[in-house]
Amino acid sequence: MKRHLTLAMILIVICSSVFAVSQDYIDGYLAGYADGTDGQAALYTDTKQSNQSTNSNFAIHYYVDEFGDATDQGYISQEYLSYGTFSNSATTNSEISWYLIASPDELSFVIFEYDSFRVKGSSGFPTEYTVSIKTETGDIIRLYAENHSDRISISQRDQTRLLSELKKGQTLKIAIAEQTDYSPSSYNLGELDCTGFEETYNQLISR
């Protein structure tokens, strides 16, 4: 009897694991499909196609289309996910994971609340944010951003300013605050070590 109970418990655990993986795959596929039908490149990467410089904390990745196939459109991101915290009316200092998207056409932050739920916006009514950057010298830079899909994108007028700071190779502290009067969310992304960013970025644009 005990043996049968043990086998049953093992089967339940295995089935639960399989379901979780399957659901993650389905969620990822649907997100990629939605991006593709909206004319947006999906942000699911194949790590085998990453190209990292020896002394860089960043690597080149490639967007995939709605079928999951790699395109020739690249962007720069950290080698590994970064972590921070977020707060709103329902929680305080809960965990987030995030990564940067940097390319000649875009500078954005992709954030996952509770390390799982991707922060999304609306194309019709994009969420507005203030992105605050603190440099090693203590200077604070304020940038405007919007989320009209699934990433917080720096405005065109502010991209040059942020790109300049990233290229300095220093450590930046980043905080993002939602601009709303109704239960705003705030994100403390922590520190971003920009070592090797400029080298990797130059590799990307020279391709």
Side-chain angles (χ1 to χ4, degrees), residues 122-148:
S122 167
S123 58
F125 301 94
T127 309
E128 299 180 329
Y129 296 88
T130 297
V131 179
S132 301
I133 309 292
K134 187 174 185 179
T135 68
E136 288 186 357
T137 60
D139 295 328
I140 298 178
I141 301 168
R142 310 284 187 192
L143 309 171
Y144 176 77
E146 290 185 346
N147 188 343
H148 48 77

Side-chain angles (χ1 to χ4, degrees), residues 2-189:
K2 290 184 177 179
R3 183 179 178 184
H4 290 164
L5 180 60
T6 301
L7 288 173
M9 291 297 293
I10 292 174
L11 286 173
I12 291 173
V13 171
I14 292 174
C15 290
S16 298
S17 300
V18 170
F19 176 80
V21 172
S22 299
Q23 188 60 48
D24 285 345
Y25 176 83
I26 292 170
D27 291 344
Y29 178 84
L30 291 176
Y33 178 79
D35 283 344
T37 54
D38 287 342
Q40 302 171 15
L43 297 180
Y44 304 96
T45 59
D46 181 351
T47 55
K48 293 180 181 179
Q49 297 190 36
S50 300
N51 181 15
Q52 184 189 5
S53 301
T54 304
N55 298 316
S56 178
N57 292 325
F58 297 86
I60 298 173
H61 302 274
Y62 292 90
Y63 294 108
V64 299
D65 60 20
E66 64 268 32
F67 303 104
D69 297 325
T71 69
D72 59 359
Q73 184 180 1
Y75 66 96
I76 292 174
S77 187
Q78 304 99 300
E79 183 185 8
Y80 304 104
L81 281 175
S82 296
Y83 294 90
T85 60
F86 83 102
S87 299
N88 55 30
S89 61
T91 187
T92 301
N93 293 331
S94 294
E95 187 175 85
I96 59 170
S97 57
W98 66 275
Y99 63 88
L100 173 73
I101 299 171
S103 73
D105 302 317
E106 180 179 7
L107 278 174
S108 300
F109 298 94
V110 175
I111 299 175
F112 298 89
E113 294 179 347
Y114 302 107
D115 202 21
S116 300
F117 302 101
R118 190 166 180 155
V119 176
K120 296 184 178 182
S122 167
S123 58
F125 301 94
T127 309
E128 299 180 329
Y129 296 88
T130 297
V131 179
S132 301
I133 309 292
K134 187 174 185 179
T135 68
E136 288 186 357
T137 60
D139 295 328
I140 298 178
I141 301 168
R142 310 284 187 192
L143 309 171
Y144 176 77
E146 290 185 346
N147 188 343
H148 48 77
S149 56
D150 59 2
R151 67 210 73 163
I152 298 174
S153 300
I154 302 297
S155 66
Q156 289 290 328
R157 69 172 185 264
D158 287 336
Q159 285 187 15
T160 300
R161 196 173 183 187
L162 177 55
L163 186 61
S164 176
E165 293 300 325
L166 293 169
K167 287 183 175 181
K168 292 179 181 179
Q170 300 181 1
T171 297
L172 303 176
K173 293 183 178 180
I174 306 171
I176 301 177
E178 185 180 1
Q179 295 183 9
T180 178
D181 295 329
Y182 305 98
S183 303
S185 295
S186 60
Y187 303 92
N188 183 348
L189 275 57

